[in-house]
Amino acid sequence: MNKKLLASRIFNDTGDWFYYFVIVVIIYSMNKNPVMMGILSASYTIPGILVSKKLAKLIDRLNDQKALIMFDILRVFVLSGIVFTNNIWLALLCVFLEQTFAIGSNLAFQRVTLDVITDSQKLLAFNRQLKIFSNGSRLLVIPSYLIMHQFISNKLILGLDILFTLISLIETVRVKINPLQSPPKDEPNECKLEKIQFGKMTKIIVIFSLLNLFKSFVDAYGIMYISNTSKNVNFGYAMLVFILSIADLIGGIISKKLINEHNIDQNNILIISFISILIFFSIPSVIHNTNCFIGCIFLLRLMLSILELFVLYRLQMHVPPKIHQYVALQTMLIDGVSLINSILGGVIIQKIDIFNYMNVITLIVLVSGIFFGCQKLK
């Protein structure tokens, strides 16, 4: 049963890797304006802010497995729209809708996972295996893209996401769920997303979301950094994505000892991650070199990968009945940070340059971290 659920998500993630890699290349080839890259980033961050909470409430009223199947079917239709359109604005609209349904799919998947797996150690192992296999598939996607790109268009490569999503749907249908493990539908809603209290779980969500500003920068403007420091943009960007895949893969592997310790200090994990990520991001803003950038972003992504599993496991253990609502809250915060980066980033880069913008967002995260630290002391 767990293998079917694992296979379902691995196929789903494999298709997504083709999607996220190719959609950036497609939009960048249409228009190399940094503002347009910001709009692309915004088109898949705005849904997290607008609909995450509504989708969480919708899933509360639906069967978890049926909700997962419904959202993935909708994704197939929207992905088909991207393949067949030549209009950049229509493509961006499809990106917006695809991300909306992808959020719903992820929230439903979190519920299905807890329906199927109840043992804490098996749950921890499932999270780790999913991350390892998912990022292993991304390592295969990159060379596959470089080979296929010589023979077929990016649109046809994007069609592979549709194929893998359909395979994922077949595996999802095969998963059998014990309905007694699902939380009662009339259970009172203890997680009020309208009023955020800065408690233990929300604290790690806020800090993790804040640190994802650096990930958002790389996703939106990493290709521009490489364009400014390298003559071979396509190869440099492919290497960046490849290295990030390795970082996520290693993060999943070495997280076993870090997350499996029951006496692990939550504050130490957050503080060490915060300081390390600030340092890793600051170096390439001073040393303008593609290899330096890729190396530092590798270390940054490694820390974020471990921290992501740490946050997910904490949520699964502390708020299992309402995990989809807490994940929705996390999605809203992460996408809110990304949206600000998307709206302001392209404009600021045009006014100054990408290296000074890196210094600006480093300073913003540093000041925000000090603020939250002071709040803790109060």
Side-chain angles (χ1 to χ4, degrees), residues 61-81:
R61 298 193 293 267
L62 297 174
N63 174 282
D64 299 339
Q65 187 178 25
K66 290 182 179 179
L68 178 57
I69 294 172
M70 177 190 71
F71 285 121
D72 281 342
I73 290 175
L74 292 173
R75 289 182 63 229
V76 168
F77 282 105
V78 175
L79 288 169
S80 300

Side-chain angles (χ1 to χ4, degrees), residues 321-332:
K322 300 297 179 183
I323 184 171
H324 62 299
Q325 293 189 345
Y326 273 92
V327 172
L329 172 62
Q330 178 178 300
T331 301
M332 290 172 63

Side-chain angles (χ1 to χ4, degrees), residues 183-215:
K185 298 302 179 182
D186 57 350
E187 184 180 64
N189 186 350
E190 298 176 359
C191 174
K192 299 295 184 181
L193 297 186
E194 294 83 358
K195 184 178 181 181
I196 299 175
Q197 297 180 350
F198 197 68
K200 179 185 294 185
M201 300 313 302
T202 52
K203 182 177 77 171
I204 64 175
I205 288 177
V206 169
I207 294 177
F208 178 66
S209 303
L210 182 64
L211 291 176
N212 266 269
L213 175 58
F214 299 119
K215 181 179 179 181

Side-chain angles (χ1 to χ4, degrees), residues 262-315:
H262 295 291
N263 60 348
I264 193 169
D265 189 288
Q266 171 183 296
N267 292 327
N268 285 343
I269 284 287
L270 296 177
I271 292 172
I272 292 173
S273 300
F274 188 86
I275 296 175
S276 300
I277 291 173
L278 279 177
I279 294 174
F280 296 148
F281 191 77
S282 299
I283 294 175
S285 68
V286 177
I287 303 176
H288 305 163
N289 179 273
T290 298
N291 293 330
C292 175
F293 176 73
I294 293 177
C296 290
I297 296 304
F298 165 82
L299 296 174
L300 184 153
R301 190 62 167 260
L302 180 63
M303 294 295 300
L304 279 177
S305 178
I306 297 172
L307 190 60
E308 180 183 6
L309 286 174
F310 171 76
V311 173
L312 176 60
Y313 184 65
R314 289 283 172 155
L315 291 177

Side-chain angles (χ1 to χ4, degrees), residues 17 92 115 130 152-153 170 220 226 304 313 358 364 375:
W17 294 136
L92 290 173
D115 288 342
L130 177 58
I152 60 178
S153 67
I170 296 173
I226 294 172
L304 279 177
Y313 184 65
M358 293 173 70
I364 291 174
Q375 290 296 311

